[in-house]
Amino acid sequence: MGNSTTGQFVTGQREREREDDRRGITGRRSLAGGKPAGTRRRGEPPPAGNEQAKTLRRILELNSRTEYLRRYLGNDFEISDHLDSSHLQSFFSSRVPLSSHRDIEPFIRRIADGEPSAGLLTGEKISMLSLSSGTTDGRQKLIPFTRFSSQATLEIFRLAAAFRSRVFPIRPKGKILEFIYSSKRYETNGGRIGTATTHWFASEEFKLRQSATQSFSCSPPEVIAAGDYRQSTYCHLLLGFLFSDEVEFVASTFAYSLVQAFSTLEQVWTDLCHDIRTGTLSSARVSSVKVRRAVLSLMARPDPDRAEKMKRICEELVNRDWAGAVRFLWPNAKYLYSIMTGSMIPYVEKLRHYAGGLPLVCADYGSTESWIGVNLAPLDPPEHTIFTVIPTFAYFEFIPLTKARYGACEEDDFEEGEAVPLDMVIVGQQYEVVLTTFTGLYRYRLGDMVEVSGFYKQTPQLKFICRRNLILTINIDKTTENDLQIVVEKALKLLQSHQAKAELVDFTSHAEAAGQPGHYVIYWEIKGSVSDQMLRDCCTEMDLGFADQGYVASRKTSSIGALELRIVGGGTFKKVMEYYIGNGAALSQFKTPRCTKNPSMLGILDFCTVKRFWSVAYC
Ligand code: AMP
């Protein structure tokens, strides 16, 4: 289904482009005016809206007889061919309530316990469940995964690859140095459980992706599925060295894994060169029999020339602090490709350092629940990347979010409007994404906050802002992940302006309410040396940088205490990552939680804290 529906979207887009050109329609909404599309004729629904209506109709045709939907649509609900699209959409949203994971949890439990799944959430049987990373809101969630999920993934990869190859043509049959990782899958009475990326890497469609995009992973499936990220990373790097001239681009799912892989490279390059020179595989680095067999079969013979060449490059890179590593080690690589937006933005500078001028191309926007949008402008830097919604992947609605006067909302600092369909969104407005999917989610609040930044033809383009539910709050203050990122960037600018020889490896935060008054704690892991005074100044800079009125007012009245900066020792965030991986998360989907209440994570952070500083703002 995924193949044909998305294919229709792309072909449909081209037809519409031609039709629009004929009519002289630009298809873009005015940024300044922020009005819904004024370019279409009165009464004429925009094509993306049409696609959405068709998508909703198809979802309901497949799933309206399920136990979940019958509760709301009734037992007698039938979709008639005569039912007008806009009526179908308004009928659906008036009958089916907005939902969250809690609403589908009882159904998921029944599926996992082995109850026949066909007819519960979807018309078809659900034989796989995906574990969301749980690193964004601290709770791992099980989400249905069906054939449609991997077909949609193949489609979005195909589409994005077509747009990338226009600006960065790659040689057919070229190789991708991909730092991708499966985690363990386990069986329940109701089917297989694993992360969405793990299901994807094991799918038929993942194999098809290679021929469809004419680029082939350096690593065999055994390396991706090793189940131990250290062994996988070593092998990815080794094969990257072995095929260094053939690598067309370097990729990962999220940017975090790229940074993690390059920092491993800094530590293991001598072993890599040794293995290539001798045609062997370090047994200290790689112990899995399966992985060893797969990798050794690709290392046909000792290759002293290549080993010498890579060694010389690495020695040179050591002197340059690994600046430009990708450019020198993989001379034919055209770009780095990964999700670099949202919570990955803090890794972009480090990636630029390794990239040495090669473009950073931001990968698409999706979640365990559904794919959402594709990056059609690969030349845009991560800071400006926007995602064009694919109207055939799910039925999308958007809850308008308006900055509230502080203290007005329970959840965070936003007042919510009525959810609107995709063709009613307004440029400049921020929204929470709501999904109705082929896989059994109905008006499901994803928890992501996006801003509509424009239109591709008449399909909205979204800028990812942040997760909504990741907030720091003590009192009447509501500080989002995005607010936190902004203050950390401010402090980093201060560091740079003093030419400090240090970089921020990673960071997170916690609202410490145990003592009185409560206060925010920000944890930093830094590489390099910074004076205590400078760190104290950074702490004050961050405290002053929080713009939320609730925070500012509470700080002024001392109902929130001074911001605390805790410096953690080297390797602390790696321990955090390992803690999550040990609990079932896959490295491919790992995102450092920017705010945490998780006692185990806090335990690691506090155990590794080496210095503490307090802000002197508002004294
Ligand atoms: P997961 O829990 O692993 O399914 O992660 C999905 C979440 O990752 C999404 O809901 C977003 O919050 C985030 N995400 C996925 N793709 C992007 C992207 N391109 N840019 C920013 N954040 C993203």
Side-chain angles (χ1 to χ4, degrees), residues 157 164 175-181 200-201 206 209-210 213 215-220 223-224 232-233 235-237 239-240 247 249-253 257-258 261 337 588:
F157 273 58
R164 283 201 313 280
K175 292 214 183 290
I176 323 171
L177 172 54
E178 274 185 304
F179 294 96
I180 49 177
Y181 308 83
W200 159 242
F201 298 140
F206 178 67
R209 183 211 64 171
Q210 316 221 24
T213 59
S215 31
F216 298 80
S217 209
C218 287
S219 299
V223 169
I224 299 165
S232 297
T233 305
C235 295
H236 285 319
L237 287 167
L239 295 166
V247 169
F249 62 98
V250 179
S252 70
T253 311
S257 321
L258 281 183
Y337 184 57
S588 279

Side-chain angles (χ1 to χ4, degrees), residues 478-497:
K478 304 269 166 49
T479 293
T480 66
E481 179 187 8
N482 199 35
D483 298 332
L484 176 70
Q485 215 148 290
I486 290 169
V487 300
V488 170
E489 272 163 25
K490 278 189 179 160
L492 291 181
K493 283 214 176 93
L494 183 70
L495 272 187
Q496 277 161 11
S497 69

Side-chain angles (χ1 to χ4, degrees), residues 411-429:
E411 171 150 339
D412 56 19
D413 210 12
F414 295 96
E415 273 167 6
E416 298 177 357
E418 285 281 310
V420 294
L422 172 146
D423 56 332
M424 295 297 286
V425 296
I426 291 171
V427 172
Q429 170 72 52

Side-chain angles (χ1 to χ4, degrees), residues 132-134 136 254 339-343 362-369 387 446 448 464 467 589 591:
S132 75
S133 61
T136 39
F254 283 94
I339 292 174
M340 299 170 189
T341 32
S343 63
C362 196
D364 308 306
Y365 172 27
S367 63
T368 301
E369 288 85 347
F387 304 99
L446 185 60
D448 282 353
F464 181 89
R467 295 283 307 174
Q589 277 172 251
K591 310 158 203 76

Side-chain angles (χ1 to χ4, degrees), residues 558-618:
S558 296
S559 49
I560 292 182
L563 178 83
E564 183 182 350
L565 173 62
R566 292 186 190 163
I567 306 295
V568 295
T572 303
F573 278 87
K574 200 164 174 191
K575 289 194 183 115
V576 168
M577 178 265 282
E578 283 172 349
Y579 159 75
Y580 277 98
I581 304 258
N583 280 283
L587 181 58
S588 279
Q589 277 172 251
F590 180 76
K591 310 158 203 76
T592 300
R594 296 293 176 218
C595 162
T596 186
K597 294 181 193 134
N598 179 317
S600 305
M601 177 166 165
L602 286 169
I604 298 170
L605 292 166
D606 288 332
F607 182 75
C608 297
T609 296
V610 290
K611 280 183 182 174
R612 294 164 158 219
F613 301 94
W614 279 268
S615 151
V616 291
Y618 304 106

Side-chain angles (χ1 to χ4, degrees), residues 285-472:
R285 298 272 179 208
V286 183
S287 58
S288 155
V289 177
K290 251 193 193 168
V291 177
R292 292 184 63 79
R293 197 179 305 129
V295 174
L296 284 167
S297 73
L298 295 169
M299 298 173 71
R301 56 186 168 78
D303 193 345
D305 292 346
R306 178 174 300 277
E308 188 52 31
K309 183 175 149 198
M310 300 311 271
K311 179 174 157 263
R312 257 186 282 118
I313 298 173
C314 289
E315 281 167 351
E316 178 68 18
L317 285 169
V318 169
N319 295 329
R320 303 163 50 105
D321 191 24
W322 295 88
V326 180
R327 169 155 263 169
F328 291 108
L329 291 167
W330 296 286
N332 292 311
K334 318 286 184 294
Y335 54 89
L336 280 84
Y337 184 57
S338 189
I339 292 174
M340 299 170 189
T341 32
S343 63
M344 294 295 127
I345 282 281
Y347 308 115
V348 165
E349 271 321 300
K350 190 68 187 175
L351 278 186
R352 287 207 169 102
H353 172 80
Y354 287 123
L358 279 186
L360 302 187
V361 180
C362 196
D364 308 306
Y365 172 27
S367 63
T368 301
E369 288 85 347
S370 170
W371 281 103
I372 295 144
V374 58
N375 175 9
L376 298 182
L379 285 171
D380 285 352
E383 293 82 353
H384 299 296
T385 301
I386 49 174
F387 304 99
T388 304
V389 176
I390 305 204
T392 49
F393 278 1
Y395 177 68
F396 296 96
E397 291 171 86
F398 296 87
I399 299 175
L401 301 174
T402 313
K403 198 93 179 133
R405 283 186 305 117
Y406 67 86
C409 304
E410 276 284 298
E411 171 150 339
D412 56 19
D413 210 12
F414 295 96
E415 273 167 6
E416 298 177 357
E418 285 281 310
V420 294
L422 172 146
D423 56 332
M424 295 297 286
V425 296
I426 291 171
V427 172
Q429 170 72 52
Q430 296 188 333
Y431 297 92
E432 179 181 338
V433 177
V434 175
L435 300 167
T436 295
T437 68
F438 287 92
T439 56
L441 306 177
Y442 304 101
R443 308 198 74 219
Y444 177 96
R445 298 179 69 143
L446 185 60
D448 282 353
M449 186 169 147
V450 295
E451 183 173 310
V452 176
S453 57
F455 287 81
Y456 175 81
K457 302 302 160 187
Q458 283 157 337
T459 304
Q461 296 188 298
L462 311 175
K463 182 171 172 51
F464 181 89
I465 304 292
C466 62
R467 295 283 307 174
R468 251 195 103 181
N469 48 7
L470 274 188
I471 52 163
L472 285 164

